[in-house]
């Protein structure tokens, strides 16, 4: 059975104020063409269909168009909700839409209920695990303490229990939206840290033939059977080195997996350039970036006059301007910036406690801070979904 694995469409999202709806529509057309040309048997969409719980009307219309075009192909599609989606909104009409071969899986309680498809070698069971927000689903899965690994492990126990009741030789595919250990994040994914932990081990998915992951925006292979497709379009400059693709996966009669990447159309290249303003305007080696979307980091000791206007004369698609002046190592601004770089909210809060009190928080206090951050993040999720 040939599968096309994609995820993280983020319909309705902009790129540094650039409307991406046209590029997203072009991608949907590319997806439909790829399904037809590569004779795909099933399409997998592993969450974050939309960029937010209440998407703009234009994004909803594009999603509606995508559903119609996929249904017209007569190729089944299995789709789950991600952490950016409202699972309840995305799942409205799922039963009716399912009659057209578009199988929306947004209910955590149905994790162990597969979509069954057949090929010449028998059944393939597709299990859709929507994004499992630990604070919201821990009771459903009967876990004592909310955490990503605990709820995903419980969901996978249901998958394996159901699979054990199927005919011998039934192959299995899981769609999940999670941060799996070994994956490389970018700046455009929303933080899903709970209890100081964001990632889960790949071993959680043991026992199935292929796991189609969503959430991280870079296409990557965790194991031969566990892969991220990545987002089809870039959504931050941290993705400037990404090759935007989908996975074309062949699932053999005995569960063998082979996969190749299909490139996605990207509207414009991304470039990150760094130096003084004079260097950026004069360096001939940067000519290749003149038509790219540009993030420019200026290292001038003193902020130059009209830097954006002057940069756009050479790089008309400059979207982001960062000031990072070269300073002496003992400059207090440098040390403060370095303390904050790549640090979590928890670590910054602990540093603040140490700064004002003279000693950092003890183990109990660290737990209080961690619980507070988790409660705020979970409350934000509840509020967004309830809108």
């Amino acid at each position: 059975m040939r599968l096309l694995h994609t995820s993280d469409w983020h319909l309705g999202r902009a790129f540094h104020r650039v409307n991406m709806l046209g590029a997203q529509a072009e991608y949907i057309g590319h997806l439909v063409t790829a399904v037809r040309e590569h004779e795909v048997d099933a399409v997998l969409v592993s969450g974050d269909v939309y960029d937010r719980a209440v998407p703009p009307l234009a994004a909803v219309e594009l999603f509606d168009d995508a559903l119609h075009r996929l249904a017209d192909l007569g190729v089944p599609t299995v789709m789950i909700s991600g952490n950016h989606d409202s699972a309840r909104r995305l799942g409205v009409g799922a039963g009716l839409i399912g009659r057209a071969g578009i199988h929306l899986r947004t209910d955590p309680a149905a994790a162990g209920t597969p979509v069954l498809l057949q090929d010449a070698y028998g059944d393939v069971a597709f299990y859709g695990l929507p994004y499992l927000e630990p604070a919201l689903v821990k009771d459903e899965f009967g876990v004592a303490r909310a955490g990503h690994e605990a709820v995903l492990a419980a969901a996978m126990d249901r998958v394996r229990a159901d699979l054990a009741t199927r005919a011998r030789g039934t192959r299995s595919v899981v769609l999940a939206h999670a941060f799996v250990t070994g994956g490389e994040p970018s700046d455009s994914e929303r933080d899903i840290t709970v209890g100081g932990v964001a990632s889960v081990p790949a071993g959680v998915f043991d026992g199935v033939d292929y796991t189609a992951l969503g959430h991280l925006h870079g296409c990557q292979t965790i194991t031969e059977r566990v892969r991220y497709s990545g987002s089809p379009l870039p959504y931050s400059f941290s993705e400037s080195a990404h090759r935007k693709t989908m996975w074309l996966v062949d699932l053999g009669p005995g569960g063998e997996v082979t996969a190749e990447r299909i490139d996605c159309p990207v509207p414009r290249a991304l470039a990150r350039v760094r130096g003084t303003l004079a260097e950026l305007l004069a360096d001939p080696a940067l000519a290749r970036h003149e038509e790219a979307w540009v993030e420019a980091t200026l290292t001038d000791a003193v902020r130059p006059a009209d830097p954006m206007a002057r940069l756009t004369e050479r790089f008309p698609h400059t979207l982001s301007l960062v000031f990072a002046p070269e300073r002496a190592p003992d400059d207090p601004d440098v040390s403060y910036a370095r303390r904050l770089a790549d640090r979590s909210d928890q670590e910054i809060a602990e540093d603040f406690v140490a700064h004002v009190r003279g000693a950092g928080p003890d183990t109990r206090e660290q737990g209080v801070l961690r619980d507070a951050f988790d409660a705020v993040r979970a409350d934000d999720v509840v509020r967004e979904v309830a809108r």
Side-chain angles (χ1 to χ4, degrees), residues 140-156:
E140 166 64 34
F141 291 107
V143 299
R145 183 173 177 84
H148 289 292
E149 183 174 356
V151 296
L152 265 173
M156 283 301 301

Side-chain angles (χ1 to χ4, degrees), residues 4 26-40 69-70 73 246 262:
L4 188 63
E26 184 179 358
Y27 165 69
I28 295 299
H30 171 73
L31 170 70
V32 171
T33 299
V35 171
R36 185 186 305 112
E37 291 183 350
H38 293 278
E39 299 181 336
V40 169
R69 295 174 73 177
L70 287 169
L73 291 174
M246 303 177 286
I262 298 178

Side-chain angles (χ1 to χ4, degrees), residues 39-79:
E39 299 181 336
V40 169
D41 298 305
V43 176
L44 313 179
V45 186
S46 298
D48 281 354
V49 174
Y50 291 122
D51 189 55
R52 56 181 187 264
V54 185
L57 179 58
V60 177
E61 290 174 338
L62 179 56
F63 179 58
D64 180 65
D65 178 63
L67 294 184
H68 278 85
R69 295 174 73 177
L70 287 169
D72 287 345
L73 291 174
V75 176
T77 297
V78 185
M79 182 179 296

Side-chain angles (χ1 to χ4, degrees), residues 362-377:
D362 59 27
T363 301
R364 183 190 65 80
E365 292 169 330
Q366 289 174 342
V368 170
L369 286 171
R370 187 162 48 248
D371 289 345
F373 281 119
D374 288 349
V376 170
R377 193 189 55 78

Side-chain angles (χ1 to χ4, degrees), residues 276-286 314-315:
T276 66
L277 180 59
E279 290 169 344
L280 298 186
L281 295 178
D283 188 351
L286 300 181
R314 183 179 189 190
F315 307 104

Side-chain angles (χ1 to χ4, degrees), residues 105-377:
R105 291 295 183 264
T106 63
D107 183 3
T113 304
V115 175
L116 286 176
L117 302 178
Q118 294 80 35
D119 65 6
Y121 302 100
D123 289 344
V124 181
F126 293 83
Y127 297 91
L129 309 187
Y131 172 66
L132 302 175
E133 173 58 47
L136 303 184
V137 303
K138 65 182 181 69
D139 292 338
E140 166 64 34
F141 291 107
V143 299
R145 183 173 177 84
H148 289 292
E149 183 174 356
V151 296
L152 265 173
M156 283 301 301
D157 285 344
R158 293 189 184 183
V159 168
R160 285 184 282 263
D162 179 84
L163 193 56
T165 69
R166 302 287 165 184
R168 185 175 182 179
T170 298
R171 289 155 292 161
S172 54
V173 175
V174 163
L175 290 78
H177 197 87
F179 185 174
V180 174
T181 304
E184 183 66 32
S186 60
D187 293 342
S188 53
E189 299 114 8
R190 183 180 294 170
D191 180 30
I192 60 171
T193 301
V194 175
V197 179
S199 64
V200 300
V204 165
F205 301 105
D206 286 351
V208 297
D209 294 310
Y210 184 72
T211 300
L213 292 173
H215 180 57
L216 299 185
H217 289 181
C219 181
Q220 48 201 298
T221 299
I222 305 300
T223 74
E224 288 305 304
R225 296 185 181 276
V226 180
R227 299 172 187 264
Y228 282 100
S229 68
S231 62
L233 293 166
Y235 292 114
S236 72
F237 277 103
S238 65
E239 300 168 57
S240 59
H242 287 187
R243 174 187 164 199
K244 294 301 183 181
T245 60
M246 303 177 286
W247 284 113
L248 187 67
V249 179
D250 284 316
L251 186 62
E256 309 90 344
V257 170
T258 59
E260 64 175 290
R261 296 170 70 176
I262 298 178
D263 289 295
C264 297
V266 177
R268 194 176 294 277
L270 306 186
R272 283 177 143 173
V273 298
R274 182 184 181 92
T276 66
L277 180 59
E279 290 169 344
L280 298 186
L281 295 178
D283 188 351
L286 300 181
R288 67 187 188 279
H289 299 315
E290 290 177 353
E291 293 305 315
W293 280 325
V294 169
E295 178 186 72
T297 298
L298 297 184
T299 59
D300 300 76
V302 178
R303 184 175 300 212
D306 300 321
M308 181 62 89
R310 294 164 68 185
L311 276 169
T312 53
E313 289 180 2
R314 183 179 189 190
F315 307 104
H317 304 288
T318 301
L319 300 181
S320 176
L321 189 57
V322 179
F323 292 96
E326 300 288 355
R327 299 182 186 274
D330 59 350
D331 189 302
D333 289 339
V334 171
S335 60
Y336 179 71
R338 286 176 180 167
R339 284 201 304 272
L340 293 185
D342 300 320
R343 297 181 71 76
S344 67
D345 291 342
Q346 175 87 16
E347 291 168 328
I348 293 170
E350 291 178 7
D351 285 350
F352 176 75
V353 172
H355 173 71
V356 299
R357 195 171 67 182
D362 59 27
T363 301
R364 183 190 65 80
E365 292 169 330
Q366 289 174 342
V368 170
L369 286 171
R370 187 162 48 248
D371 289 345
F373 281 119
D374 288 349
V376 170
R377 193 189 55 78

